[in-house]
Structures are given as C-alpha cells and as structure tokens.
Amino acid sequence: MAPVTVVVQSRGKPIKKLPKEVQLSPDASTQELYNRLAEASGYSVHRLRITKATDRTVVPNSKDSTIEGNGVSEKTVLHVKDLGPQISWRTVFIIEYLGPLLIPALVLFPLRPYVYFNFDKIPEPSDIQLLVCALLSIHFIKREYETIFVHRFSNATMPARNIVKNSGHYWLLAGINIAYWVFRPDSAAATGRVPPPILYTGLALFVFGELANYNTHLVLRDLRRPGTTERGIPSGFGFSAVTCPNYFFEIVAWVGVYLVSGMSWSVLLFIVAGGGQMILWAQKKERRYRKEFGDKYKRKRFVMIPGLF
C-alpha cells in the first residue's frame, strides 16, 4: 500500500514540537500514529487525544485499529489536543481508597483525644466501634487489593488535576464523615445500643456483599484480555437480574455496615451519595451494552437493584 500523508494541527494549547505532517501506511495501526506524535512532541502518548477535523470523531489509540479503518486518508487533517499531565487510573484508585482505609483507625485510636476534645470524659472504644473499624478496614483493603491485582482498566490514565475531586468522595464521606460520627463517645455504636438480631444481620449482609462483589469483579476481569480494551458480555451470578451486580452487592455490604453501626445516618449518607452515582454509571453501561452487542445482549429492565432501579 502506498503511504498517506496526514496534516497535523494542535487543538487548544499549542504543542511546540508537533510535526505539521506525518506519513503512514493505510494499514498501520492508530497506535503507531499516537506513538509517532508522542515521540516527536516529547509528550506521553496518554497525554494526547487525536480527532479528525471534519467531524471531530476520536481516532483511538489502539493496535487493533487502522488508519484506513478510521477514515484517515491522504491530506486528512488531524487535531491533536494536549490533555495535560496524566495519572494512571490504578494510582487514582489506590489514593482514593487509602484515605478511608487509614482515617477510621486514626480517629478511633491516636487522634481520639484530639477529635473529641469537647467531651468531659472519653471512654475507650466500644466493641461495636472496634467492629465497625474492622469492617471498614476489610472493605478498603479489599478495594486496594482488587485495584492492584484484579481490575483491568480500559483507559490507562486520567487528568492529574481530577485526583482531588475523585478522592474527595471517599476521603470525606467514607473516611472523615463515618469515622467522626460512628466513633463519637455518645454514638449508638459507643453505647452498645445495637440489638443482636440487627448486629448479626448486618454482619451477614457485609460478608455476603463483599464476597459476591469480589466474584463479580473476577467475572468482569476475565472479560478483557490483558493489554486490550475488548469487552465481552458478562454472565454469571447476579448478571441475569441486573446490569451491574457489582454495584448491587456493594450496596448490600454497606447496608451491613449501616446496621452494625447502630444505623448511623453518616453511613446512610454515604450509601445514598454513592448509590446515586452508581445508578448513573449502571444506566450508562446498560446503554453501552445495548449499542455494542445489539441482539446478542439480553436487555435488562433493572440496572442495579432488582425490582427498583
């Protein structure tokens, strides 16, 4: 095949070393295009986004996608945007979960006299408070483990400036909010006002939710081959009922924490805030499955909670 020459232009902030033209074979991968422009500009390949000037469609960074297959031909004008400093999604999740992993133990032990300085007497943490702290630790240790060893990410990076916004939800609502109110000397968890039936129901829901959620993540992991963005149609426990059973089981586990905590409103607030966001994600995923797989995909009526959403 005769090579084609494409015109390259910066979009937005100028990229100083960006070449004005690049010559490639029509059957070359779009990944090669990204690599050539990254090498020439001195930027990370993940920092660049390439779109066609005619319709602004994104040219993907993929070894399985070709120049010709994306409608790029002789003298096609491509716009290259600098997305700014990037951070890997794996690092983002590690940082997100680190806050709520450490904050509860810090509030319950070394920082306890300073956080609750306005109380005349600060008793030792109750057994229920210790249990809630253990459940929070187990949950976020599991999250960190899955981030490092289980999850495969479709996007390698995100803008580094978003890390504060992304971490705020977990550090504030799951970390500071829950720790402060549940570990207070006058909370229901401190005074032991958690009836055994509620306590043991909460523990059962937590264990079931965590194990089922982990199983779902393994299923989703196995749908994507390492190093690719390919996806298959998920199936298995929970997937026949809702689009995203991992979100449902996540809610189940947190309802368990809510019951064990003596039904603290702070845990409920985190459930409502997180659940609302997960519903939006689940709806988006259902639409994507329908568009991507067509008639091969069995459409779901409920995206996250059977019988409700």
Side-chain angles (χ1 to χ4, degrees), residues 46-271:
H46 301 299
R47 186 167 172 165
L48 304 178
R49 183 172 65 195
I50 304 174
T51 57
K52 292 191 294 182
T54 52
D55 55 10
R56 294 189 177 182
T57 56
V58 176
V59 178
N61 178 11
S62 172
K63 65 180 180 181
D64 300 320
S65 176
T66 65
I67 298 295
E68 186 178 47
N70 280 272
V72 177
S73 56
E74 183 72 17
K75 295 304 179 181
T76 293
V77 179
L78 298 177
H79 286 166
V80 182
K81 183 176 178 61
D82 174 15
L83 299 177
Q86 300 289 297
I87 185 172
S88 74
W89 273 102
R90 200 175 303 277
T91 301
V92 169
F93 284 128
I94 289 173
I95 294 173
E96 282 183 0
Y97 303 145
L98 187 61
L101 173 60
L102 300 178
I103 290 171
L106 290 173
V107 171
L108 192 59
F109 297 111
L111 299 182
R112 188 171 177 81
Y114 307 102
V115 173
Y116 304 114
F117 66 90
N118 55 324
F119 284 84
D120 294 333
K121 183 179 180 181
I122 303 177
E124 291 296 312
S126 70
D127 290 342
I128 296 296
Q129 288 177 322
L130 293 172
L131 180 58
V132 172
C133 186
L135 296 185
L136 295 174
S137 297
I138 290 170
H139 176 77
F140 286 107
I141 287 173
K142 168 182 168 289
R143 283 290 193 90
E144 296 284 29
Y145 172 83
E146 290 174 336
T147 297
I148 298 171
F149 298 107
V150 177
H151 294 319
R152 291 173 183 160
F153 300 95
S154 56
N155 295 318
T157 65
M158 64 170 277
R161 64 180 180 275
N162 290 347
I163 186 65
V164 175
K165 179 185 69 175
N166 284 40
S167 297
H169 170 73
Y170 286 101
W171 284 59
L172 295 176
L173 287 183
I176 295 172
N177 167 60
I178 292 177
Y180 177 80
W181 293 105
V182 173
F183 300 154
R184 277 174 62 97
D186 60 352
S187 69
T191 55
R193 296 195 298 266
V194 183
I198 293 178
L199 175 65
Y200 293 124
T201 299
L203 286 174
L205 289 175
F206 178 82
V207 172
F208 169 76
E210 293 291 330
L211 292 176
N213 175 267
Y214 179 68
N215 176 72
T216 306
H217 286 160
L218 292 178
V219 171
L220 294 173
R221 188 272 310 271
D222 292 339
L223 293 177
R224 178 176 291 134
R225 290 186 291 115
T228 72
T229 58
E230 294 178 2
R231 286 183 291 259
I233 300 175
S235 61
F237 183 63
F239 284 101
S240 60
V242 294
T243 309
C244 299
N246 51 320
Y247 296 159
F248 172 61
F249 297 136
E250 176 90 358
I251 295 295
V252 169
W254 277 103
V255 169
V257 176
Y258 170 66
L259 295 178
V260 173
S261 72
M263 301 184 188
S264 172
W265 67 268
S266 62
V267 181
L268 182 61
L269 175 62
F270 177 71
I271 294 173

